[in-house]
Amino acid sequence: MRIAIASGKGGTGKTFVATNLFWLASEMGMECVLADCDAEEPNVAGFLPGDTESVTEVFQQVPVIDPNKCTFCGKCYDYCAYNAILYLPEKRWIQVLPDLCHDCGACSYACEAGAITEKPRLLGKVKRSAYGPRSRLTEGRSEVRVYSAVAVIKKAIHEAGNKKVTILDSPPGISCPFIATVDKADYVVLVSEPTPFGLHDLKLSVSTVQQIGKPFGVVINKAGPGNREMYEWLKEYDIPLLMEIPFDREIARIYSDGGLLSREHTSYREMFRRLLKQILHFQSV
Ligand code: SF4
Ligand code: SF4
């Protein structure tokens, strides 16, 4: 089962939930894998240092137009659905904008003058590590100055393969990197905080997950302070509240030391065990 741990904004505790669930599943002897899909700032390895097995580079094929062969017919520009070609026929100027290019190959197909070749561009790397005898970690890491992490995320999920439990630590927000991750999940856990700002972002992520058609539930982190608005909203829309993590200085201390709460506290271990059971039960019903 693929479980995406996601959130409409950063800093809500996605990695905290993902690493604790993974550690617990691993401790329970399940075959599991955790993919760090937050490729712009992966940090799972800070909590779960594995033994590196392989590193794979992820490339994009970027079209290059030879102005000496180009007839400035504009066909490639018409074929490009991503506005990745700057075409100024009156100035006889044409150029590919690599950051907007989606590596679809349509322009090369369109060009009858043989003016387009492709050159590889490094987008990032995916590291695969072992964690104990039955568990694996994969980490997507984008290169600096690469506009979109989507290709690296897809590769990290692909490298994760399919174990009994596959946990995807999603990037924050609701744009393409989030969708690339959540789209591959069987179940989505949305982590939020009970504040007006948290509720605003939760509404956006719930709406996105509903549009993609994925089953989901909510974990409220730093419960205690804040207000009741989020609880009332979940009740009104019949959205399952899977777990509450209290606002506790000790939790913050363990997390900032790179520790794992379920390893250090048996009561919290039980809480994460119940969460895992709820999610896995969802698959079997
Ligand atoms: S490969 Fe696709 S996205 Fe990139 S420039 Fe060509 S048509 Fe546009
Ligand atoms: S299709 Fe080929 S010849 Fe036509 S504008 Fe594009 S690169 Fe130039």
Side-chain angles (χ1 to χ4, degrees), residues 64-247:
V64 180
I65 300 174
D66 181 347
N68 297 320
K69 290 188 182 164
C70 177
T71 60
F72 295 92
C73 67
K75 214 170 158 192
C76 57
Y77 172 79
D78 292 339
Y79 268 55
C80 182
Y82 301 98
N83 292 321
I85 295 178
L86 178 63
Y87 174 53
L88 304 170
E90 64 286 357
K91 301 237 182 260
R92 291 184 70 77
W93 178 272
I94 190 159
Q95 187 184 340
V96 174
L97 306 170
D99 280 340
L100 298 185
C101 176
H102 281 56
D103 194 4
C104 71
C107 54
S108 300
Y109 177 78
C111 183
E112 288 164 2
I116 300 183
T117 52
E118 292 177 341
K119 76 164 187 209
R121 176 192 187 207
L122 181 65
L123 296 178
K125 291 174 185 158
V126 172
K127 184 170 78 174
R128 208 163 172 271
S129 317
Y131 187 83
R134 288 161 67 84
S135 303
R136 291 285 176 278
L137 299 160
T138 64
E139 176 200 87
R141 185 176 288 265
S142 267
E143 286 293 296
V144 175
R145 289 187 290 132
V146 168
Y147 175 70
S148 169
V150 168
V152 176
I153 291 170
K154 285 183 175 171
K155 183 70 177 168
I157 295 174
H158 176 77
E159 288 279 308
N162 276 317
K163 300 270 188 200
K164 178 171 168 56
V165 178
T166 299
I167 297 170
L168 310 176
D169 186 13
S170 169
I174 52 167
S175 60
C176 300
F178 168 89
I179 290 169
T181 308
V182 164
D183 186 47
K184 297 284 183 260
D186 302 305
Y187 191 88
V188 182
V189 176
L190 294 170
V191 185
S192 194
E193 297 162 354
T195 62
F197 189 30
L199 178 58
H200 172 267
D201 287 323
L202 180 64
K203 285 179 181 174
L204 293 175
S205 43
V206 163
S207 158
T208 310
V209 172
Q210 282 174 331
Q211 283 179 55
I212 304 173
K214 299 288 175 181
F216 66 96
V218 171
V219 167
I220 295 184
N221 190 14
K222 299 176 194 159
N227 58 34
R228 300 294 303 170
E229 247 186 291
M230 183 173 285
Y231 296 90
E232 284 153 19
W233 185 77
L234 292 177
K235 209 166 165 196
E236 186 182 345
Y237 289 94
D238 209 14
I239 295 171
L241 173 58
L242 303 170
M243 183 172 86
E244 282 181 89
I245 303 164
F247 186 79

Side-chain angles (χ1 to χ4, degrees), residues 42-71:
N43 62 347
V44 164
F47 303 93
L48 298 160
D51 300 318
T52 305
E53 290 181 325
S54 65
V55 178
T56 311
E57 293 182 322
V58 182
F59 290 95
Q60 170 193 18
Q61 295 301 324
V62 182
V64 180
I65 300 174
D66 181 347
N68 297 320
K69 290 188 182 164
C70 177
T71 60

